[in-house]
Amino acid sequence: MGGEQKIVVKDDESGVISHLCQIIQQKAKESLSKNETFNIGLSGGSLAKFLCEGLPKIDTEWSRWRLFFCDERLVPEDSADSTWGLYKSKLLPVTPLKEDQFLLVNTSLSPLEAAKDYQEKLLKTCGSPAPSLHLLLLGAGPDGHTCSLFPGHALMEEPAPADGGRIVAHIEDSPKPPPARVTLTLPVVNSADSCVFAAVGQGKAAMMSQLLSKDEAVDDKDLLPASRVRPEKGEVIWILDSAAASQLS
C-alpha cells in the first residue's frame, strides 16, 4: 500500500494552519540541505487559503523554492477557477516568492497539449526521467477526489511512468466543473517524498471518516482517490481540526 500514514488532530483551523506550515518549513529545510531546490506541489481550494495565511510566517530560503501545481483547470488566470490566479493574487503579495519560481500550465493549449507541455516543464525543472517531488500539498473533495483524480474515472488506472504511464495527464470530462484540466497521475503523486492533506470543519467529518477508516477487506483499487495517496518511499500526513476528525473511529 505504500509508506507511513499519520493523522494529526488540532483544536481549530488556526492550529491546522500553524502545523501545516511548520511541516512545510521543516520539509523545505530538509530538502534544501540535500538539493539545489525545494520542489513543492500546490492545490487549490481551502488549502490555498491556509497557505496564504500561514506561509508568510515561516523562515525559509524562499529563492530556492520551485512551485508547481498538482492539478490545474484550463481557464484564464483571471478566472475564479484558476489555481495559479488564486496564488498570484493572494500568495505572491505576502511572501518573497516571485512569479518565475512557479511552473505554470499553459491554459491556452488543448488539454492534451497542455498536459504534455506541463510534463516537459516538470521534467526540466524537477529532474528526469522521474521528477523529484519533495512535498505535495493536497485537498480531498466531498466525493473523495484529490488533484483531478475522480472516483471511478479511467485516470485512476493510469500506469506508472516506468510502465509507460504519463506524469501529467489531461482530463476533458471532469465530473466537477470546469471539465478541462491537467493533473498529476496517481503513481506520480505516490512517488513524492511526502504528501500532506489539511481539512477543517464539521462538513468534512463524514468524508474524513470514510477516507481514513481502516478496512483491510477493501481492495486498494476500490478505495477513493484520496485514500490511495500513500507515497511508496515516503509518508502521508492528514492534518485535521477537531470538527473534521469528529467521526474518526
Side-chain angles (χ1 to χ4, degrees):
M1 180 72 180
E4 185 180 2
Q5 175 173 278
K6 299 177 183 176
I7 301 171
V8 178
V9 180
K10 296 295 180 179
D11 288 339
D12 52 25
E13 181 175 309
S14 64
V16 168
I17 293 171
S18 177
H19 192 74
L20 170 66
C21 291
Q22 286 173 16
I23 289 174
I24 296 169
Q25 177 176 290
Q26 182 60 33
K27 296 297 183 186
K29 184 178 181 180
E30 291 172 4
S31 294
L32 292 173
S33 71
K34 299 177 283 190
N35 305 282
E36 287 292 316
T37 60
F38 173 49
N39 303 332
I40 177 171
L42 306 175
S43 301
S46 57
L47 184 76
K49 173 181 178 288
F50 300 160
L51 297 178
C52 294
E53 182 174 330
L55 282 184
K57 302 169 187 173
I58 74 169
D59 179 24
T60 188
E61 293 182 74
W62 292 106
S63 64
R64 294 172 65 189
W65 283 39
R66 297 296 177 268
L67 304 98
F68 57 93
F69 297 100
C70 299
D71 69 326
E72 179 60 288
R73 293 90 170 245
L74 298 185
V75 295
E77 70 175 50
D78 60 359
S79 166
D81 286 321
S82 170
T83 303
W84 160 238
L86 179 59
Y87 283 103
K88 182 180 181 180
S89 64
K90 302 293 187 184
L91 186 65
L92 286 185
V94 295
T95 64
L97 292 168
K98 308 296 184 193
E99 184 169 334
D100 64 6
Q101 292 174 253
F102 288 78
L103 273 65
L104 304 184
V105 176
N106 185 342
T107 58
S108 68
L109 298 174
S110 71
L112 176 62
E113 292 304 319
K116 287 182 178 178
D117 178 70
Y118 204 60
Q119 177 166 310
E120 289 172 8
K121 288 176 180 174
L122 265 181
L123 290 170
K124 182 177 180 181
T125 301
C126 300
S128 182
S132 180
L133 310 181
H134 300 135
L135 176 62
L136 302 184
L137 304 176
L138 302 170
D143 60 352
H145 83 268
T146 191
C147 303
S148 284
L149 301 171
F150 292 92
H153 195 278
L155 269 184
M156 292 304 301
E157 307 310 318
E158 183 78 13
D163 298 320
R166 296 165 289 181
I167 294 169
V168 180
H170 68 290
I171 177 172
E172 299 181 72
D173 57 352
S174 165
K176 179 182 177 183
R181 302 156 176 248
V182 300
T183 182
L184 297 181
T185 61
L186 183 63
V188 173
V189 169
N190 281 333
S191 74
D193 294 345
S194 299
C195 295
V196 178
F197 289 87
V200 302
Q202 192 66 40
K204 293 278 190 179
M207 180 49 63
M208 291 303 110
S209 176
Q210 188 173 350
L211 290 172
L212 297 173
S213 63
K214 298 180 177 68
D215 186 346
E216 302 298 336
V218 177
D219 186 89
D220 285 359
K221 290 193 174 184
D222 293 328
L223 294 171
L224 291 169
S227 294
R228 293 178 64 182
V229 174
R230 296 294 290 268
E232 292 177 8
K233 299 176 182 177
E235 62 181 356
V236 57
I237 304 170
W238 292 80
I239 312 170
L240 313 177
D241 73 350
S242 56
S246 62
Q247 295 183 28
L248 297 185
S249 54

